[in-house]
């Protein structure tokens, strides 16, 4: 997208969010794994604005710190400016606080800081429509099933914008109108600044309303346009934990629908939890109860059974993940098989055709092509070659109480059951390790290593039959 050098996006995120019943600032509550504010920033970024302003108030330090820490992860490259709101007398006061920033730009888009469902393409369309005409302001209007509590958009006989009437001032007929003010706008910056100066306090709290600027701009003989949104859910604000859950479900349903349209099979899609940005190949089959999070990429023709968790990982084509598998920050090459109840901890790599079976855990290790860790084993800080067979109960003893040490297992090694590798240790290719051995020294290639105590049988020293 071509950068809009004359556009500044202003996000109003100073509200306390009392109904959230939480000390966490409202913009930082998570929807599909990232803060509400991050979703809005990502949508704004796609416009290519010259700057993004964020008005902060309640929990300002926490909001600023979280945004600064997440900018790179969220792909925000536009300059971000934080504006403290000290005068809490209405939405227009928040915008007034940002005037030193806004006066540097020709166009200002104002967004609410609690609307995570807003789509970038809607914002882009709003900006394009605004730029296509000589207008003073544009307001996003949406038709909602229940408009109670919202300001109604009043249109003239020719369907043009006339005014906004707040719920408290609306008569019975006005309350029947379902087109409401979303609280999101595009302004000519100079017209907005002129209108802000003219505002007078309104209502019992004597607040300054941003909605009043539209009538003032219209009085300046500058056109005000209503941009009719096609999906009212984009404008839904999050003001409570119930609304947070609603936004989460809408977003997940949206993601699920997009994936199914691209050829992914989701069994009972309402019971699969997939973050926006996750990429999944065609004909991959996903069962209920799965959580696929972060920057995960999954190939084609995979089978993912129920209750699998994947975060920030890359899964190749034709992979089978059986019930209960847990994968985090790892790489799984094509044709691998994991589970049931396998665990890949961060920085684990499975090469083509490798298998990790039930109740086995891999940590910061490479499992070579075609190698098998079938059951009840822990492999940590290990470089494993191709064609290795790991018997049940094998453990790499990688931690000495202070440092982690590495185990190296060469190609085509055969490891019997219940073997301990006390790292650092190297086992070369084509070796065999006897069951029950504790390996503390290097094992040469093509050797058999047995390291276990000799069995001693003492007759008549066992449990007597009559005891």
């Amino acid at each position: 997208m071509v950068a809009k050098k004359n556009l500044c996006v202003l996000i109003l995120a100073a509200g306390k969010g009392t109904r959230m019943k939480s000390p966490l600032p409202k913009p930082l509550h998570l929807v599909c794994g990232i803060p509400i504010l991050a979703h809005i920033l990502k949508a704004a970024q796609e416009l290519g604005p010259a700057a993004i302003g964020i008005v902060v108030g309640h929990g300002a330090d926490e909001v600023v710190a979280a945004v600064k820490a997440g900018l790179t992860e969220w792909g925000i490259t536009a300059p971000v400016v934080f504006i403290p709101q000290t005068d809490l007398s209405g939405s227009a006061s928040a915008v007034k606080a940002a005037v030193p920033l806004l006066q540097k730009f020709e166009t200002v888009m104002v967004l609410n800081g609690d609307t995570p469902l807003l789509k970038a393409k809607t914002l882009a369309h709003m900006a394009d429509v605004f730029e296509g005409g000589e207008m003073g302001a544009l307001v996003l209007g949406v038709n909602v099933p229940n408009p109670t509590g919202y300001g109604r958009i009043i249109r003239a006989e020719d369907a043009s914008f006339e005014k906004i009437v707040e719920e408290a001032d609306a008569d019975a007929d006005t309350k029947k109108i379902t087109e409401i003010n979303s609280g999101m706008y595009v302004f000519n910056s100079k017209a907005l600044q002129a209108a802000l100066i003219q505002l007078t306090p309104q209502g019992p709290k004597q607040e300054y309303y941003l909605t009043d600027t539209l009538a003032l701009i219209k009085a300046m003989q500058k056109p005000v346009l209503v941009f009719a949104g096609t999906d009212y859910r984009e404008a839904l604000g999050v003001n409570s934990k119930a609304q947070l859950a609603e936004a989460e479900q809408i977003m997940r349903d949206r993601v699920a629908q997009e994936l199914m349209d691209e050829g992914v099979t989701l069994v009972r899609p309402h019971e699969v939890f997939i973050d926006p940005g996750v990429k999944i190949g065609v004909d991959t089959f996903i069962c209920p109860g799965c959580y696929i999070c972060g920057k995960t990429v999954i190939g084609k023709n995979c089978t993912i059974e129920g209750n699998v968790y994947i975060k920030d990982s890359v899964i190749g084509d034709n992979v089978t993940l059986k019930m209960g598998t847990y994968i985090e920050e790892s790489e799984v090459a094509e044709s691998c098989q994991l589970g049931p109840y396998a665990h890949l901890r961060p920085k684990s790599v499975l090469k083509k055709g490798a298998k990790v079976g039930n109740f086995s855990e891999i940590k910061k290790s490479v499992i070579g092509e075609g190698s098998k860790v079938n059951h009840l084993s822990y492999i940590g800080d290990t470089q494993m070659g191709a064609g290795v067979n790991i018997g049940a109960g094998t453990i790499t003893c990688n931690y000495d109480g202070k440092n982690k040490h590495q185990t190296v297992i060469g190609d085509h090694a055969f490891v019997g059951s219940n073997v301990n590798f006390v790292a650092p240790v190297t086992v070369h290719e084509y070796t065999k390790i006897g069951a029950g051995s504790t390996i503390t020294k290097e094992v040469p290639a093509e050797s058999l290593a047995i390291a276990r105590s000799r069995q001693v049988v003492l007759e008549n020293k066992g449990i007597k039959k009559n005891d």
Side-chain angles (χ1 to χ4, degrees):
M1 179 175 291
V2 178
K4 298 183 182 296
K5 296 181 179 180
N6 294 317
L7 173 66
C8 175
V9 177
L10 183 66
I11 303 172
L12 308 183
K16 188 173 183 180
T18 304
R19 290 167 56 196
M20 297 298 288
K21 304 295 184 183
S22 170
L24 184 69
K26 183 168 69 169
L28 299 186
H29 284 269
L30 302 184
V31 174
C32 292
I34 64 174
I36 292 170
L37 187 54
H39 289 285
I40 303 163
L41 282 166
K42 287 162 67 75
Q45 174 62 47
E46 292 197 33
L47 297 175
I52 300 174
I54 304 176
V55 179
V56 294
H58 177 71
D61 291 344
E62 194 172 354
V63 173
V64 170
V67 171
K68 287 182 175 179
L71 289 176
T72 300
E73 178 186 348
W74 305 330
I76 309 303
T77 58
V80 175
V81 180
F82 298 97
I83 302 109
Q85 181 184 358
T86 55
D87 179 2
L88 303 179
S89 57
S91 55
S93 296
V95 178
K96 281 182 179 180
V99 166
L101 172 65
L102 307 185
Q103 62 188 7
K104 300 175 183 178
F105 304 98
E106 292 181 7
T107 306
V108 178
M109 178 178 285
V110 178
L111 305 177
N112 293 323
D114 62 358
T115 53
L117 299 172
L118 197 60
K119 294 180 180 178
K121 65 179 182 181
T122 299
L123 300 184
H125 195 183
M126 288 169 60
D128 290 343
V129 169
F130 184 85
E131 290 179 357
E134 296 294 328
M135 63 186 69
L138 175 149
V139 56
L140 173 62
V142 291
N143 282 285
V144 297
N146 180 12
T148 302
Y150 293 97
R152 310 304 203 276
I153 293 177
I154 309 299
R155 292 178 179 261
E157 291 184 2
D158 61 358
S160 64
F161 173 82
E162 183 173 320
K163 60 181 177 180
I164 293 175
V165 176
E166 299 299 334
E167 170 90 5
D169 301 321
D171 58 24
D173 288 337
T174 300
K175 288 181 178 180
K176 294 177 182 178
I177 296 172
T178 59
E179 186 176 33
I180 60 99
N181 171 30
S182 69
M184 289 175 274
Y185 314 87
V186 185
F187 291 102
N188 173 281
S189 184
K190 289 183 179 180
L192 172 60
Q193 293 170 58
L196 289 171
I197 295 171
Q198 300 177 51
L199 288 176
T200 57
Q202 303 292 324
K205 295 183 180 181
Q206 292 292 284
E207 294 181 313
Y208 295 89
Y209 298 132
L210 188 59
T211 51
D212 291 346
T213 61
L214 299 180
L216 292 169
I217 290 172
K218 185 178 179 182
M220 298 175 196
Q221 305 302 310
K222 294 184 179 295
V224 176
L225 177 70
V226 178
F227 180 91
T230 57
D231 183 355
Y232 75 91
R233 296 176 300 177
E234 290 188 56
L236 290 178
V238 172
N239 295 297
S240 65
K241 292 293 179 63
Q243 291 176 347
L244 186 70
E246 181 184 5
E248 173 105 5
Q249 189 60 60
I250 291 170
M251 188 170 291
R252 292 203 183 279
D253 288 347
R254 183 189 290 173
V255 171
Q257 186 61 55
E258 291 172 354
L259 288 171
M260 290 188 289
D261 290 343
E262 294 168 359
V264 178
T265 299
L266 302 179
V267 179
R268 301 175 73 174
H270 293 301
E271 297 178 22
V272 177
F273 308 93
I274 304 175
D275 283 353
V278 168
K279 301 184 185 303
I280 304 177
V282 298
D283 288 328
T284 285
F285 183 92
I286 303 176
C287 292
C290 292
Y291 287 78
I292 305 175
C293 310
K295 300 177 181 178
T296 295
V297 177
I298 299 175
K300 60 186 178 181
N301 298 312
C302 296
T303 298
I304 302 178
E305 296 182 1
N307 302 320
V308 168
Y309 179 93
I310 310 170
K311 181 178 180 181
D312 294 332
S313 298
V314 177
I315 311 296
D317 298 339
N318 303 300
V319 168
T320 297
L321 304 178
K322 293 186 177 181
M323 177 81 73
T325 296
Y326 189 107
I327 302 173
E328 187 175 7
E329 297 176 26
S330 296
E331 298 179 22
V332 178
E334 61 182 293
S335 304
C336 288
Q337 180 175 303
L338 287 90
Y341 303 102
H343 184 188
L344 295 192
R345 287 166 60 186
K347 298 183 180 180
S348 296
V349 177
L350 269 61
K351 300 290 188 177
K352 180 180 178 181
K355 293 177 66 177
V356 175
N358 46 302
F359 303 103
S360 290
E361 179 178 354
I362 312 297
K363 175 256 178 184
K364 199 178 181 180
S365 298
V366 175
I367 309 301
E369 184 172 339
S371 292
K372 300 176 182 178
V373 185
N374 275 328
H375 29 236
L376 302 166
S377 296
Y378 169 71
I379 306 297
D381 297 285
T382 297
Q383 294 291 316
M384 185 183 298
V388 174
N389 185 85
I390 299 293
T394 295
I395 296 174
T396 56
C397 307
N398 56 326
Y399 185 48
D400 64 7
K402 292 183 178 180
N403 300 301
K404 300 291 179 70
H405 300 283
Q406 189 174 71
T407 297
V408 177
I409 302 175
D411 295 345
H412 303 289
F414 184 93
V415 180
S417 297
N418 199 33
V419 168
N420 301 310
F421 293 102
V422 181
V425 68
T426 297
V427 175
H428 291 277
E429 63 272 14
Y430 292 98
T431 55
K432 287 188 177 181
I433 309 297
S437 295
T438 296
I439 303 300
T440 61
K441 298 179 180 179
E442 182 175 358
V443 181
E446 302 181 28
S447 298
L448 168 63
I450 302 173
R452 58 191 181 215
S453 299
R454 177 180 298 179
Q455 179 174 317
V456 177
V457 177
L458 300 177
E459 296 185 4
N460 298 319
K461 298 297 183 180
I463 299 173
K464 294 182 180 181
K465 293 181 181 180
N466 295 326
D467 283 354

